Amino acid sequence: MKQKTVNYKLVLFGLLLFIGILFFVNLEGQRLMTNTLAVTVLIAFLWCTEALPIGLTSMLPLVLFPTFGILDGKLVSEAYINHVIFLFIAGFIIALTIEKWNLHQRIALKILSYTGTSFFRIMLGFMLCSSLLSMWISNTAAAMMMIPIGLSVVTVLNKKGEESKMRKFNTHLFLSIAYACSIGGVGTLIGTPPNLSYARISEVLFPKIPEISFAQWMIMALPIVVVMFMIVLFLLYFTSVPKGKSKLKLEGSYFKKEYNLLGHTTTEQKRVFYVFLLLIFLWLFRRELVLGDFYLPGWSQLFPFPHFVNDGTVAVFVVLLLFLIPSSDKQKPLVTWEITRKIPWDVVFLLGGGFAIAKAFVVSGLSVYLGEQLMFFFTSRSDVGILGMLVGFIVFLTEITSNTATTEIMLPVISGVAKTLRCHPIILMLSVTLASSMAFMFPVATAPNALVFGTGKIKMLEMIKIGFLLNLLAVMVIVLVVYFWIPYVFQIDFHTFPDWAQ
């Protein structure tokens, strides 16, 4: 991968912002708060502009927080090593193992062979594969795997009909891949980095906050995934199907033939698949499931200290299995240590940097201060109005900034808003987290958007027009889910400020 260079002009501008806040801003006479704001603005600016490599910027808290008396160096370092970081690393090793043995392509072609070959079924199949894969492997990897299959399908369709009349369907097919990857990532705790950011930052901000288990997250996010999936599918299909070409479709056995070209399922693919199913089972049923009157005990209760076991524990256990289970070559396991070189360490440091910033916001009191300043925008508004403003702001903000960086900067601020409004922090913080994955307008908004734009099949204006409408619909869906579904799932109330948040 090409190493990004340093943009010295932007770095200099960021330093000037930093120095300007240090010397010309005084937040209520609190030097600690001012220093925290200065460092956070510098890091946020460098993250957004990528003037420095993201991983390098993410290490700045290790130097600046101790230097300016914000956090002890030991506390800052601990932010970079915790169970959420290990959950991310282990999850990525599992995803890389799936890719190594080409299991993801086999699963995708198998699904496509069942969905069919009409225009509607093709788009349904691609979206289904993209969303399901992105729940378990990175959105970027899912998009990269689906795009070559999409290009081969588009080539065949263009040969069967006039390419000029097929152009819009081709465009929308690739958009469906990108959007489905973003939507699917919302569905699981490991689906996208902002979800993991919530898991850890909420603990930093509120040490006694109830944990959201893997299964609880899926139950909570499922309505968003299903509703947005259907909205994108029908919107893209009905605005793209070629007129007078309803009989034009791929051969019924096209995807089956492509699947057969992969050959027989290998021993490694079978073993990785079984381990993957074990992982899903252990994640889903680790903790007890409670939904209304329904109760299902979790397997962790078989141990003397069930609360000691978390999702990171499960992920690392499964990774150990992958390192121990042999491949068909008895001398080698399913995965070797060399695979760790492919882990996106810049994202690991990005998560750690965000956790350190969250800790600094709590210690300095900056989260509460900023929350009080934002009260102007939320005063005298209805609950739905508050959620609508918050979700809308995050959705459109992430069109031009990293969704992970946005989440990590905004969660501490929104926790302060919750304290000031005396409303439930989980509801507001989940609003930010879920909204950060709903960016559909620009190629720079998400990696899947950029990848499909790079195929040359999509014009910028087309993505902006469809993406803007989807952004608005996403705001509506998230607000409804957050307002009605999340309080039911977690048995909480919007206007209740819990004891653990005091």
Side-chain angles (χ1 to χ4, degrees), residues 48-79:
C48 294
T49 60
E50 295 190 43
L52 292 176
I54 286 178
L56 183 59
T57 299
S58 302
M59 289 191 286
L60 288 178
L62 290 164
V63 176
L64 297 180
F65 283 164
T67 302
F68 288 90
I70 300 167
L71 283 178
D72 178 84
K74 181 180 178 181
L75 286 176
V76 181
S77 302
E78 290 172 353

Side-chain angles (χ1 to χ4, degrees), residues 398-425:
T398 52
E399 290 289 352
I400 55 174
T401 61
S402 160
N403 58 354
T404 307
T406 299
T407 306
E408 300 201 331
I409 293 296
M410 290 302 299
L411 282 178
V413 176
I414 294 305
S415 72
V417 172
K419 288 181 179 180
T420 305
L421 290 175
R422 308 302 290 176
C423 61
H424 210 289

Side-chain angles (χ1 to χ4, degrees), residues 416-475:
V417 172
K419 288 181 179 180
T420 305
L421 290 175
R422 308 302 290 176
C423 61
H424 210 289
I426 288 179
I427 292 178
L428 291 191
M429 290 194 295
L430 282 177
S431 300
V432 170
T433 306
L434 297 170
S436 69
S437 295
M438 296 290 128
F440 304 112
M441 281 178 60
F442 296 119
V444 297
T446 66
N449 284 13
L451 288 170
V452 299
F453 188 77
T455 63
K457 304 292 183 181
I458 301 169
K459 293 182 179 179
M460 176 75 77
L461 186 59
E462 290 174 314
M463 181 178 279
I464 292 173
K465 286 166 59 178
I466 294 174
F468 180 75
L469 178 58
L470 287 175
N471 279 8
L472 295 178
L473 292 171
V475 171

Side-chain angles (χ1 to χ4, degrees), residues 208-219:
K208 295 182 179 180
I209 191 172
E211 177 198 10
I212 296 181
S213 68
F214 200 93
Q216 285 177 313
W217 186 281
M218 288 193 72
I219 292 171

